[in-house]
Amino acid sequence: MVPSNNHTWAIKNCMLMAQQLMLVATAHGLSTGPMEGFDERRVSYVLGIPLQRYAIPLIINVGYSYNSAEGESNDDLSSEYHRKAEIVPKKLRFPVVDICYLNKYGIKLK
């Protein structure tokens, strides 16, 4: 078992929240990109986040993608969101019984 502390626990929970944010943004027609490897001290200075109390494990950019093939930019984000929402096909979802197990790997849900 790997030793854990409050900082590790907080980072793991932050990553779970980040994953949810990215999934929800994608479901709404937005593009996302997680970034790490940045200068945390400078980011905290620019955003006014006190590092004595908080950490910045990652940054997620969120926005509409630029379609370079068509040369489109998204000047009117509101209408662009609605236009994309109309053409995005419904996502295929696997039945829960095919992807989840009961108490132990390999024991299918009924």
Side-chain angles (χ1 to χ4, degrees):
M1 185 170 195
V2 177
S4 183
N5 59 30
N6 288 341
H7 185 264
T8 303
W9 178 85
I11 298 299
K12 287 179 182 180
N13 279 281
C14 177
M15 296 305 173
L16 290 171
M17 186 282 310
Q19 176 188 14
Q20 286 301 108
L21 174 97
M22 293 171 68
L23 289 170
V24 169
T26 302
H28 285 282
L30 296 162
S31 296
T32 62
M35 298 177 283
E36 59 181 356
F38 51 87
D39 187 339
E40 184 178 10
R41 210 170 33 89
R42 288 186 179 156
V43 171
S44 70
Y45 175 77
V46 169
L47 297 177
I49 300 170
L51 285 180
Q52 298 83 4
R53 180 174 169 100
Y54 301 103
I56 306 170
L58 82 155
I59 297 172
I60 301 174
N61 59 47
V62 179
Y64 293 98
S65 51
Y66 177 81
N67 188 346
S68 59
E70 298 176 15
E72 289 181 1
S73 65
N74 301 310
D75 295 330
D76 184 3
L77 296 180
S78 175
S79 65
E80 181 67 17
Y81 169 75
H82 292 295
R83 184 181 72 77
K84 283 188 174 187
E86 292 170 5
I87 62 171
V88 174
K90 222 168 184 16
K91 303 268 193 249
L92 172 65
R93 303 280 187 213
F94 292 104
V96 173
V97 295
D98 290 344
I99 59 174
C100 293
Y101 298 102
L102 181 63
N103 296 329
K104 186 177 178 185
Y105 180 79
I107 301 175
K108 292 271 188 181
L109 291 174
K110 296 178 185 180

